[in-house]
Amino acid sequence: MSKKEEVKRKIGKSAMECFAKFGLDKTTLEDIAKAVGLNKTSLYYYYKSKEDIFIEVALAEGEHYIHALQQATLQKEGIENRTAFYLESRFNYYKNVLNMNRVSVESMGKLLPRFFDLYDALMVREKAFLTQLLEQAVKAGELDLADPTNTASVLINFSNALKHSVEQQAMLKRESEIDYTQSLQDTKFLVSLIFKGIKK
């Protein structure tokens, strides 16, 4: 790790502690600089805004979490259990990233467009992982499925759409809390419905 990467890691760690303590809205760059032992001018060399720090660190956390989740998914028995476990767990992770006390609904409206632009590469790897699971299940005779790649993409996209829908409603209604209960139930139902049609 280079010196610059090490400093950025320390900034990210300190920033997330500030966000967890004060919330993203109330945390200032001065708070973060003070927590990491830099002045504000030095902090600007690495990041132009607190939102930039949040997005970069959240995505790094996501990379680590998704890798660990994929390993845990492989320990589950049966393709339907694996798929349901994976989609529900990633759903819970992404909602927690944006719904902890560190991010308000108002801030989320500013963060989401940039956040989703940056995490496209992660989505590609997620869809590739789920495609691989489905292809293995087809080879093992568990599924009657002609297009594992498209099915994996649909599963991820629908799960994301259910989550994004409730987030958008909360932003439009200016609600302070987001209730993901129904979206998570709908994700579970979607998985069971699809697998009723493709399981042998």
Side-chain angles (χ1 to χ4, degrees):
M1 185 180 291
S2 69
K3 184 178 179 182
K4 183 177 180 180
E5 289 170 336
E6 177 63 20
V7 173
K8 289 184 79 172
R9 188 193 66 78
K10 289 178 181 176
I11 291 170
K13 183 175 183 294
S14 296
M16 286 310 207
E17 288 170 359
C18 289
F19 298 150
K21 186 175 181 181
F22 306 117
L24 181 63
D25 290 351
K26 294 181 181 177
T27 299
T28 65
L29 283 174
E30 289 90 344
D31 294 329
I32 298 167
K34 184 178 178 181
V36 80
L38 295 172
N39 60 46
K40 188 177 174 182
T41 305
S42 297
L43 189 61
Y44 270 121
Y45 172 73
Y46 299 97
Y47 295 101
K48 300 304 179 195
S49 71
K50 62 186 179 182
E51 289 81 10
D52 288 343
I53 301 171
F54 179 85
I55 290 169
E56 185 173 301
V57 176
L59 289 172
E61 288 179 355
E63 292 264 2
H64 177 75
Y65 177 83
I66 292 300
H67 176 74
L69 172 58
Q70 290 176 351
Q71 298 307 306
T73 300
L74 295 173
Q75 305 305 311
K76 301 296 176 184
E77 292 293 328
I79 185 59
E80 185 172 355
N81 286 336
R82 285 181 171 185
T83 304
F85 174 78
Y86 187 75
L87 290 177
E88 290 167 31
S89 298
R90 69 179 292 279
F91 184 106
N92 281 319
Y93 172 74
Y94 284 120
K95 79 179 177 85
N96 287 336
V97 165
L98 295 174
N99 198 39
M100 288 177 65
N101 64 347
R102 42 189 194 182
V103 184
S104 70
V105 172
E106 187 176 335
S107 290
M108 193 185 299
K110 299 174 190 173
L111 286 170
L112 282 177
R114 293 165 62 202
F115 185 85
F116 291 118
D117 281 344
L118 291 170
Y119 97 147
D120 281 348
L122 189 57
M123 288 297 97
V124 168
R125 290 203 299 280
E126 286 205 77
K127 289 176 182 179
F129 173 75
L130 196 52
T131 297
Q132 185 179 16
L133 289 184
L134 295 173
E135 287 173 345
Q136 289 170 353
V138 169
K139 286 179 184 175
E142 286 185 75
L143 299 179
D144 181 16
L145 182 60
D147 193 346
T149 301
N150 193 45
T151 304
S153 183
V154 166
L155 284 163
I156 295 282
N157 289 342
F158 267 97
S159 179
N160 286 345
L162 290 167
K163 185 175 73 64
H164 300 166
S165 174
V166 75
E167 288 166 354
Q168 288 177 336
Q169 288 176 40
M171 283 184 267
L172 290 172
K173 295 176 183 176
R174 300 194 179 279
E175 295 172 344
S176 59
E177 296 285 329
I178 301 177
D179 183 1
Y180 290 95
T181 308
Q182 187 60 51
S183 293
L184 187 52
Q185 289 175 357
D186 290 346
T187 297
K188 292 176 182 178
F189 179 72
L190 172 69
V191 172
S192 66
L193 196 64
I194 288 175
F195 275 88
K196 278 182 184 176
I198 61 177
K199 280 181 83 172
K200 284 189 175 180

